[in-house]
Amino acid sequence: MIPIDLKGKLALVAGVGDDRGFAWHIAKALNAAGARLIFATHPRLVNVVSSLLERDLDRASRELPYGAGELKVERVIPCDVEHDSMGDVDEKKREDKRFAKHGDYSIQGLAAAIGKDFGGLDILIHSIAFSPEIKNKAIDTSRKAYLQALSISSYSLTAMLKALQPYMENRPDGSAALALSYLGGVRVVPHYGGGMSTAKAALEIDAKQLASNLGPKNIRVNIISAGPYASRAASAIGDIDEMVKHAASCSPLPRGIEPTEVAASAAFLCSPLASAITGHVLYVDCGYNTMGIFPKAE
Protein backbone atom coordinates (compact mmCIF):
# COMPACT_ATOMS: atom_id res chain seq x y z
CA MET A 1 0.00 0.00 0.00
CA ILE A 2 1.20 3.53 -0.81
CA PRO A 3 0.40 5.58 2.30
CA ILE A 4 -0.72 9.18 2.56
CA ASP A 5 1.40 10.18 5.52
CA LEU A 6 1.02 13.70 6.89
CA LYS A 7 2.55 13.05 10.30
CA GLY A 8 4.41 16.09 11.57
CA LYS A 9 2.54 18.43 9.23
CA LEU A 10 0.46 21.39 10.44
CA ALA A 11 -2.67 22.22 8.45
CA LEU A 12 -4.79 25.37 8.58
CA VAL A 13 -8.37 24.71 7.41
CA ALA A 14 -10.13 27.98 6.67
CA GLY A 15 -13.88 28.16 6.21
CA VAL A 16 -15.17 25.54 8.65
CA GLY A 17 -18.67 26.56 9.73
CA ASP A 18 -20.44 23.26 10.38
CA ASP A 19 -19.95 19.50 10.18
CA ARG A 20 -21.53 19.06 6.72
CA GLY A 21 -19.31 21.09 4.42
CA PHE A 22 -16.22 20.09 2.49
CA ALA A 23 -13.94 21.88 4.95
CA TRP A 24 -15.01 19.64 7.84
CA HIS A 25 -14.56 16.45 5.84
CA ILE A 26 -11.19 17.59 4.47
CA ALA A 27 -10.04 18.36 8.01
CA LYS A 28 -11.00 14.84 9.08
CA ALA A 29 -9.10 13.27 6.18
CA LEU A 30 -5.98 15.33 6.93
CA ASN A 31 -6.24 14.46 10.62
CA ALA A 32 -6.66 10.77 9.79
CA ALA A 33 -3.46 10.97 7.73
CA GLY A 34 -1.61 12.34 10.74
CA ALA A 35 -1.74 16.11 10.23
CA ARG A 36 -2.22 18.48 13.16
CA LEU A 37 -5.07 20.94 12.67
CA ILE A 38 -5.88 24.59 13.17
CA PHE A 39 -9.25 26.02 12.13
CA ALA A 40 -9.77 29.58 10.85
CA THR A 41 -13.45 30.34 11.31
CA HIS A 42 -15.62 33.40 10.74
CA PRO A 43 -16.03 35.24 14.06
CA ARG A 44 -19.79 34.69 14.07
CA LEU A 45 -19.30 30.92 13.82
CA VAL A 46 -16.50 30.35 16.34
CA ASN A 47 -18.88 29.26 19.09
CA VAL A 48 -20.75 26.93 16.72
CA VAL A 49 -17.55 25.23 15.58
CA SER A 50 -16.15 25.03 19.11
CA SER A 51 -19.33 23.27 20.23
CA LEU A 52 -19.06 20.76 17.39
CA LEU A 53 -15.56 19.92 18.60
CA GLU A 54 -16.60 19.44 22.22
CA ARG A 55 -20.20 18.26 22.61
CA ASP A 56 -20.97 14.59 23.20
CA LEU A 57 -23.99 15.07 20.96
CA ASP A 58 -21.64 15.64 18.00
CA ARG A 59 -19.20 12.84 18.78
CA ALA A 60 -20.28 10.77 15.77
CA SER A 61 -19.49 13.62 13.38
CA ARG A 62 -15.97 13.80 14.82
CA GLU A 63 -15.17 10.17 14.05
CA LEU A 64 -12.29 10.02 11.59
CA PRO A 65 -12.32 7.81 8.50
CA TYR A 66 -10.31 4.59 8.36
CA GLY A 67 -10.78 4.01 12.07
CA ALA A 68 -8.21 6.68 12.86
CA GLY A 69 -9.89 7.92 16.03
CA GLU A 70 -11.57 11.25 16.72
CA LEU A 71 -11.04 14.66 15.15
CA LYS A 72 -8.61 16.79 17.16
CA VAL A 73 -8.17 20.51 16.50
CA GLU A 74 -5.47 22.37 18.37
CA ARG A 75 -6.96 25.83 18.00
CA VAL A 76 -9.93 27.64 16.46
CA ILE A 77 -8.85 31.12 15.35
CA PRO A 78 -11.46 33.75 14.45
CA CYS A 79 -10.81 35.22 11.00
CA ASP A 80 -12.91 37.37 8.69
CA VAL A 81 -11.05 37.07 5.38
CA GLU A 82 -12.71 40.23 4.07
CA HIS A 83 -10.09 42.20 6.01
CA ASP A 84 -6.32 42.07 5.50
CA SER A 85 -5.79 44.06 8.72
CA MET A 86 -7.96 45.58 11.42
CA GLY A 87 -7.40 48.93 9.74
CA ASP A 88 -9.71 47.71 6.96
CA VAL A 89 -12.66 47.10 9.31
CA ASP A 90 -15.45 49.66 9.16
CA GLU A 91 -16.76 51.35 12.28
CA LYS A 92 -20.05 49.45 12.30
CA LYS A 93 -18.32 46.08 12.44
CA ARG A 94 -15.74 47.32 14.94
CA GLU A 95 -18.56 48.17 17.33
CA ASP A 96 -20.40 44.90 16.79
CA LYS A 97 -19.93 42.88 19.99
CA ARG A 98 -20.06 39.61 18.04
CA PHE A 99 -16.82 40.67 16.36
CA ALA A 100 -15.17 42.93 18.93
CA LYS A 101 -14.86 40.18 21.55
CA HIS A 102 -12.39 38.32 19.30
CA GLY A 103 -9.76 41.07 19.15
CA ASP A 104 -7.77 40.91 15.90
CA TYR A 105 -9.79 38.78 13.49
CA SER A 106 -8.05 39.94 10.30
CA ILE A 107 -5.86 37.86 7.97
CA GLN A 108 -2.78 39.55 9.41
CA GLY A 109 -3.98 38.64 12.90
CA LEU A 110 -4.40 35.03 11.81
CA ALA A 111 -0.89 34.91 10.34
CA ALA A 112 0.60 36.53 13.44
CA ALA A 113 -1.09 33.98 15.72
CA ILE A 114 0.22 31.08 13.65
CA GLY A 115 3.70 32.53 13.54
CA LYS A 116 3.77 33.14 17.29
CA ASP A 117 2.21 29.89 18.49
CA PHE A 118 3.26 27.40 15.79
CA GLY A 119 6.21 28.90 13.93
CA GLY A 120 5.41 27.31 10.56
CA LEU A 121 2.63 25.94 8.40
CA ASP A 122 2.61 23.08 5.89
CA ILE A 123 -0.93 23.04 4.51
CA LEU A 124 -3.56 25.71 3.80
CA ILE A 125 -7.12 24.71 2.90
CA HIS A 126 -9.21 27.58 1.50
CA SER A 127 -12.90 26.63 1.63
CA ILE A 128 -14.45 30.09 1.63
CA ALA A 129 -17.17 31.56 -0.56
CA PHE A 130 -19.88 34.15 -0.08
CA SER A 131 -22.14 36.45 -2.05
CA PRO A 132 -25.14 38.24 -0.53
CA GLU A 133 -26.88 38.10 -3.92
CA ILE A 134 -25.99 34.59 -5.09
CA LYS A 135 -29.56 33.95 -6.28
CA ASN A 136 -29.51 37.02 -8.53
CA LYS A 137 -28.82 36.72 -12.24
CA ALA A 138 -25.61 38.39 -13.39
CA ILE A 139 -27.61 41.20 -14.99
CA ASP A 140 -29.35 41.87 -11.66
CA THR A 141 -26.24 41.79 -9.46
CA SER A 142 -25.22 45.00 -7.73
CA ARG A 143 -21.66 46.31 -7.93
CA LYS A 144 -21.35 46.07 -4.14
CA ALA A 145 -22.34 42.38 -4.02
CA TYR A 146 -20.16 41.57 -7.05
CA LEU A 147 -17.07 43.10 -5.47
CA GLN A 148 -17.80 41.52 -2.09
CA ALA A 149 -18.07 38.08 -3.70
CA LEU A 150 -14.70 38.60 -5.40
CA SER A 151 -13.08 39.92 -2.22
CA ILE A 152 -14.21 37.10 0.06
CA SER A 153 -14.33 34.16 -2.33
CA SER A 154 -11.25 34.69 -4.48
CA TYR A 155 -8.92 37.50 -3.39
CA SER A 156 -8.82 36.04 0.12
CA LEU A 157 -6.69 33.15 -1.19
CA THR A 158 -4.08 35.63 -2.44
CA ALA A 159 -4.25 37.63 0.78
CA MET A 160 -3.88 34.56 2.98
CA LEU A 161 -0.93 33.19 1.02
CA LYS A 162 0.76 36.58 1.05
CA ALA A 163 0.42 36.78 4.83
CA LEU A 164 1.31 33.13 5.46
CA GLN A 165 4.16 32.84 2.96
CA PRO A 166 6.90 33.45 5.56
CA TYR A 167 5.61 30.45 7.52
CA MET A 168 5.03 28.17 4.51
CA GLU A 169 8.09 28.72 2.35
CA ASN A 170 10.81 26.09 2.08
CA ARG A 171 9.24 23.66 4.52
CA PRO A 172 10.41 20.03 4.66
CA ASP A 173 8.73 18.24 1.69
CA GLY A 174 7.38 21.64 0.60
CA SER A 175 3.99 23.07 1.56
CA ALA A 176 0.62 22.98 -0.15
CA ALA A 177 -2.34 25.31 -0.54
CA LEU A 178 -5.66 24.03 -1.81
CA ALA A 179 -8.83 25.96 -2.64
CA LEU A 180 -12.34 24.77 -3.47
CA SER A 181 -14.03 25.77 -6.70
CA TYR A 182 -17.07 24.77 -8.75
CA LEU A 183 -17.97 24.26 -12.41
CA GLY A 184 -20.02 27.47 -12.22
CA GLY A 185 -16.75 29.34 -12.63
CA VAL A 186 -16.34 28.14 -16.23
CA ARG A 187 -19.92 27.38 -17.31
CA VAL A 188 -23.27 29.06 -16.80
CA VAL A 189 -25.20 27.58 -13.88
CA PRO A 190 -28.66 29.10 -13.26
CA HIS A 191 -29.03 30.76 -9.86
CA TYR A 192 -25.26 30.73 -9.31
CA GLY A 193 -25.01 34.47 -9.67
CA GLY A 194 -24.35 37.48 -7.51
CA GLY A 195 -20.75 37.56 -8.75
CA MET A 196 -20.07 34.05 -7.44
CA SER A 197 -19.43 32.52 -10.86
CA THR A 198 -16.94 35.31 -11.59
CA ALA A 199 -15.34 34.79 -8.19
CA LYS A 200 -14.77 31.09 -8.90
CA ALA A 201 -13.30 31.91 -12.31
CA ALA A 202 -10.98 34.41 -10.63
CA LEU A 203 -10.07 31.90 -7.93
CA GLU A 204 -8.95 29.35 -10.53
CA ILE A 205 -6.70 31.70 -12.50
CA ASP A 206 -5.41 33.23 -9.25
CA ALA A 207 -4.39 29.77 -8.06
CA LYS A 208 -2.39 29.25 -11.25
CA GLN A 209 -0.73 32.66 -10.89
CA LEU A 210 0.06 31.94 -7.25
CA ALA A 211 1.47 28.53 -8.17
CA SER A 212 3.89 30.32 -10.50
CA ASN A 213 4.71 33.03 -7.96
CA LEU A 214 5.28 30.69 -5.04
CA GLY A 215 6.78 27.66 -6.77
CA PRO A 216 10.35 28.90 -6.18
CA LYS A 217 9.50 28.91 -2.44
CA ASN A 218 8.42 25.25 -2.73
CA ILE A 219 4.77 26.13 -2.13
CA ARG A 220 2.28 24.29 -4.32
CA VAL A 221 -1.17 25.76 -5.09
CA ASN A 222 -4.01 23.66 -6.49
CA ILE A 223 -7.79 23.69 -6.87
CA ILE A 224 -10.46 21.04 -6.40
CA SER A 225 -13.57 21.75 -8.44
CA ALA A 226 -16.17 19.68 -6.65
CA GLY A 227 -19.51 18.57 -8.01
CA PRO A 228 -22.74 19.94 -6.52
CA TYR A 229 -23.30 18.86 -2.94
CA ALA A 230 -26.09 19.81 -0.53
CA SER A 231 -24.02 21.49 2.16
CA ARG A 232 -25.47 24.14 4.44
CA ALA A 233 -23.74 26.88 2.46
CA ALA A 234 -24.96 25.51 -0.87
CA SER A 235 -28.55 25.70 0.33
CA ALA A 236 -28.29 29.45 -0.27
CA ILE A 237 -28.38 28.74 -4.01
CA GLY A 238 -31.99 27.64 -3.64
CA ASP A 239 -32.25 24.65 -5.97
CA ILE A 240 -29.22 22.66 -4.85
CA ASP A 241 -31.16 19.39 -4.57
CA GLU A 242 -32.25 19.70 -8.20
CA MET A 243 -28.67 20.53 -9.21
CA VAL A 244 -27.42 17.39 -7.48
CA LYS A 245 -30.08 15.23 -9.15
CA HIS A 246 -29.34 16.71 -12.58
CA ALA A 247 -25.59 16.20 -12.27
CA ALA A 248 -26.12 12.63 -11.06
CA SER A 249 -28.34 11.82 -14.03
CA CYS A 250 -25.86 13.24 -16.56
CA SER A 251 -22.47 12.21 -15.20
CA PRO A 252 -20.42 9.30 -16.55
CA LEU A 253 -20.58 7.94 -13.01
CA PRO A 254 -24.35 8.35 -12.62
CA ARG A 255 -24.51 9.46 -8.99
CA GLY A 256 -23.82 12.43 -6.76
CA ILE A 257 -20.47 12.96 -5.09
CA GLU A 258 -19.72 12.25 -1.45
CA PRO A 259 -17.84 14.83 0.64
CA THR A 260 -15.43 12.09 1.70
CA GLU A 261 -14.36 11.76 -1.96
CA VAL A 262 -13.43 15.43 -2.06
CA ALA A 263 -11.64 15.00 1.28
CA ALA A 264 -9.60 12.04 0.04
CA SER A 265 -8.56 13.98 -3.08
CA ALA A 266 -7.56 16.92 -0.89
CA ALA A 267 -5.42 14.70 1.33
CA PHE A 268 -3.63 13.39 -1.75
CA LEU A 269 -2.97 16.86 -3.20
CA CYS A 270 -1.60 18.06 0.15
CA SER A 271 0.67 15.04 0.56
CA PRO A 272 4.21 14.37 -0.73
CA LEU A 273 2.60 11.95 -3.22
CA ALA A 274 1.51 15.05 -5.19
CA SER A 275 4.90 16.79 -4.93
CA ALA A 276 5.03 17.60 -8.67
CA ILE A 277 1.42 18.82 -8.98
CA THR A 278 0.78 22.56 -8.83
CA GLY A 279 -1.41 25.06 -10.67
CA HIS A 280 -3.89 22.26 -11.35
CA VAL A 281 -7.69 22.15 -11.23
CA LEU A 282 -8.82 18.66 -10.24
CA TYR A 283 -12.47 17.89 -10.95
CA VAL A 284 -14.06 15.67 -8.33
CA ASP A 285 -17.54 15.50 -9.83
CA CYS A 286 -18.11 11.97 -11.16
CA GLY A 287 -17.08 13.26 -14.60
CA TYR A 288 -19.92 15.77 -14.97
CA ASN A 289 -17.52 18.45 -16.30
CA THR A 290 -16.60 16.28 -19.29
CA MET A 291 -20.09 16.17 -20.76
CA GLY A 292 -21.11 18.36 -23.69
CA ILE A 293 -24.47 16.87 -24.60
CA PHE A 294 -26.26 15.23 -21.71
CA PRO A 295 -27.77 11.78 -22.35
CA LYS A 296 -31.46 11.18 -21.95
CA ALA A 297 -32.42 9.37 -18.79
CA GLU A 298 -33.01 5.68 -19.43
Side-chain angles (χ1 to χ4, degrees):
M1 172 181 283
I2 299 177
I4 293 180
D5 185 359
L6 297 176
K7 293 183 180 67
K9 306 299 183 184
L10 180 66
L12 170 65
V13 182
V16 178
D18 57 33
D19 59 355
R20 290 177 54 191
F22 291 135
W24 181 267
H25 289 278
I26 289 171
K28 289 171 64 174
L30 296 176
N31 209 195
R36 298 160 56 206
L37 295 178
I38 309 165
F39 282 178
T41 299
H42 192 279
R44 289 182 177 177
L45 296 173
V46 167
N47 288 342
V48 173
V49 173
S50 296
S51 293
L52 287 170
L53 294 171
E54 297 169 0
R55 295 192 311 177
D56 286 340
L57 182 64
D58 300 302
R59 185 177 297 277
S61 70
R62 297 194 298 269
E63 292 180 2
L64 298 179
Y66 315 110
E70 184 173 313
L71 179 67
K72 301 294 183 185
V73 178
E74 297 189 16
R75 188 169 173 189
V76 179
I77 303 176
C79 184
D80 184 343
V81 299
E82 196 170 9
H83 308 296
D84 292 335
S85 71
M86 291 303 292
D88 300 331
V89 182
D90 60 53
E91 184 176 352
K92 181 179 179 181
K93 188 178 285 187
R94 279 180 175 274
E95 295 178 352
D96 189 327
K97 293 181 180 178
R98 295 171 297 179
F99 288 82
K101 67 181 181 181
H102 294 295
D104 189 341
Y105 47 82
S106 70
I107 289 175
Q108 286 185 8
L110 170 69
I114 290 173
K116 177 183 177 182
D117 297 337
F118 299 95
L121 185 69
D122 302 287
I123 296 168
L124 168 64
I125 304 297
H126 179 284
S127 183
I128 300 168
F130 175 75
S131 168
E133 298 181 10
I134 193 168
K135 293 183 181 180
N136 289 7
K137 294 179 180 179
I139 195 67
D140 298 323
T141 298
S142 69
R143 182 185 295 269
K144 181 180 179 181
Y146 183 94
L147 294 177
Q148 188 176 24
L150 281 169
S151 174
I152 294 174
S153 310
S154 51
Y155 182 73
S156 58
L157 175 65
T158 297
M160 294 182 81
L161 280 170
K162 182 177 181 179
L164 293 167
Q165 179 184 334
Y167 310 112
M168 297 182 71
E169 60 188 23
N170 300 317
R171 299 285 289 172
D173 299 320
S175 58
L178 179 68
L180 277 294
S181 189
Y182 174 56
L183 188 63
V186 295
R187 297 187 190 176
V188 176
V189 176
H191 310 304
Y192 197 69
M196 186 56 70
S197 57
T198 307
K200 290 301 187 185
L203 181 69
E204 293 190 16
I205 188 59
D206 285 354
K208 294 178 182 182
Q209 293 273 8
L210 292 164
S212 175
N213 297 162
L214 298 174
K217 303 293 185 180
N218 208 12
I219 301 172
R220 300 182 295 109
V221 186
N222 290 296
I223 294 278
I224 285 180
S225 183
Y229 165 67
S231 66
R232 179 187 60 81
S235 65
I237 298 172
D239 61 350
I240 184 62
D241 291 333
E242 290 302 316
M243 292 169 65
V244 171
K245 290 178 182 177
H246 174 75
S249 69
C250 299
S251 298
L253 298 175
R255 60 175 178 80
I257 66 163
E258 296 293 336
T260 51
E261 294 173 313
V262 174
S265 299
F268 162 71
L269 285 173
C270 293
S271 78
L273 294 178
S275 58
I277 301 175
T278 194
H280 183 66
V281 179
L282 176 65
Y283 286 94
V284 183
D285 65 354
C286 292
Y288 180 65
N289 75 94
T290 66
M291 301 303 293
I293 298 176
F294 298 123
K296 293 181 179 180
E298 295 182 359

